């Protein structure tokens, strides 16, 4: 068993479940179905990572009892429980369930929104970083979903120097006007 691959899979499991929880709460707080749907897509990713991890762990055990492997299985199962809870939260929004009045009141009083924006193929923002785009963009990028070959790769908590690529789907939080300005920038083409 390669410790590196198990370590990287555990990190991916942790990062993905953390992002799922953040997005699930955000989808409820901002009553955003689009973000809730991202949580469901991430749950599918969690299942794939879990399967890969178990393949490594079971091949490492070679049929013998190993208490260290049991502790890894416990971590995987606990993380999967967190991901399941996030999925359940997201399903509240996807199913259109009525939110408690306290949540609605908090939403109405909030001056921040959460959005997902796709980068157009002709956007002038392609191959630029947030730093390149200007310091007056006051938004927080939570994550970037990037297509890599036949699957999607998530970049969690992207840094100011992370390059934006065509087709990226970026999850952002900020004041509504700042989010709208950022969306226009990413979807603007050179023709406009």
């Amino acid at each position: 068993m390669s410790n590196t691959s198990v370590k990287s899979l555990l990190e991916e499991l942790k990062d993905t479940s953390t992002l799922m929880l953040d997005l699930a709460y955000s989808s409820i707080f901002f009553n955003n179905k689009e973000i809730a749907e991202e949580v469901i897509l991430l749950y599918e990713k969690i299942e794939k990572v879990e399967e890969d991890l178990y393949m490594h762990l079971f091949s490492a055990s070679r049929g013998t009892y190993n208490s260290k492997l049991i502790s890894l299985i416990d971590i995987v199962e606990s993380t999967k429980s967190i991901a399941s809870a996030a999925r359940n939260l997201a399903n509240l929004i996807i199913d259109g369930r009525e939110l408690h009045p306290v949540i609605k009141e908090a939403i109405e009083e909030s001056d921040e929104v959460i959005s997902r924006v796709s980068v157009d193929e002709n956007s002038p923002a392609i191959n630029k970083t947030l730093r390149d785009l200007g310091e007056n963009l006051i938004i927080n990028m939570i994550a970037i979903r990037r297509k890599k070959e036949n699957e999607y790769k998530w970049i969690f908590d992207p840094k100011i120097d992370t390059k934006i690529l065509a087709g990226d789907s970026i999850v952002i939080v900020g004041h509504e006007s700042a989010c709208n300005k950022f969306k226009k920038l990413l979807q603007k083409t050179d023709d406009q």
Side-chain angles (χ1 to χ4, degrees), residues 28 31 36 87-99:
I28 287 173
N31 198 21
R87 182 185 61 178
N88 292 342
L89 289 171
N91 277 328
L92 292 172
I93 298 302
I94 291 171
D95 294 343
R97 293 195 193 152
E98 185 70 24
L99 297 176

Side-chain angles (χ1 to χ4, degrees), residues 68-104:
K68 290 179 183 174
L69 290 179
I70 298 297
S71 66
L72 284 173
I73 291 171
D74 287 343
I75 289 170
V76 171
E77 288 301 312
S78 296
T79 306
K80 179 86 179 279
S81 293
I82 292 168
S84 293
R87 182 185 61 178
N88 292 342
L89 289 171
N91 277 328
L92 292 172
I93 298 302
I94 291 171
D95 294 343
R97 293 195 193 152
E98 185 70 24
L99 297 176
H100 191 279
V102 171
I103 296 171
K104 286 183 179 181

Side-chain angles (χ1 to χ4, degrees), residues 145-155 165-168:
R145 185 177 73 163
R146 180 168 288 163
K147 188 163 187 165
K148 189 171 185 174
E149 295 173 17
N150 293 330
E151 59 183 45
Y152 287 99
K153 173 187 175 208
W154 281 91
I155 300 169
L165 302 179
D168 281 354

Side-chain angles (χ1 to χ4, degrees), residues 4-148:
T4 306
S5 59
V6 169
K7 180 179 180 262
S8 65
L9 286 169
L10 281 171
E11 287 173 359
E12 186 174 2
L13 194 68
K14 178 196 73 72
D15 289 344
T16 304
S17 66
T18 300
L19 176 62
M20 285 179 70
L21 206 50
D22 287 346
L23 292 179
Y25 276 121
S26 296
S27 72
I28 287 173
F29 188 71
F30 297 112
N31 198 21
N32 189 310
K33 190 174 182 177
E34 187 176 66
I35 299 303
E37 289 168 350
E38 288 293 336
V39 175
I40 303 306
L41 291 174
L42 284 168
Y43 189 79
E44 294 170 9
K45 179 180 180 177
I46 284 275
E47 289 180 321
K48 172 80 171 89
V49 173
E50 176 191 33
E51 181 181 313
D52 291 347
L53 256 167
Y54 279 140
M55 293 302 288
H56 282 289
L57 296 177
F58 292 145
S59 68
S61 70
R62 293 179 180 56
T64 60
Y65 176 81
N66 185 329
S67 62
K68 290 179 183 174
L69 290 179
I70 298 297
S71 66
L72 284 173
I73 291 171
D74 287 343
I75 289 170
V76 171
E77 288 301 312
S78 296
T79 306
K80 179 86 179 279
S81 293
I82 292 168
S84 293
R87 182 185 61 178
N88 292 342
L89 289 171
N91 277 328
L92 292 172
I93 298 302
I94 291 171
D95 294 343
R97 293 195 193 152
E98 185 70 24
L99 297 176
H100 191 279
V102 171
I103 296 171
K104 286 183 179 181
E105 188 177 319
I107 291 168
E108 289 168 4
E109 291 180 12
S110 174
D111 56 354
E112 287 197 330
V113 296
I114 186 165
S115 297
R116 180 180 66 182
V117 59
S118 295
V119 181
D120 285 345
E121 289 185 18
N122 296 324
S123 170
I126 293 173
N127 290 321
K128 294 189 177 164
T129 65
L130 269 181
R131 185 185 316 274
D132 297 334
L133 297 175
E135 295 177 14
N136 59 352
L137 290 174
I138 306 170
I139 54 110
N140 181 23
M141 262 202 272
I142 296 175
I144 299 172
R145 185 177 73 163
R146 180 168 288 163
K147 188 163 187 165
K148 189 171 185 174

Side-chain angles (χ1 to χ4, degrees), residues 167-180:
D168 281 354
S169 184
I170 303 174
V171 179
I172 58 173
V173 173
H175 292 281
E176 188 171 6
S177 60
C179 286
N180 287 338

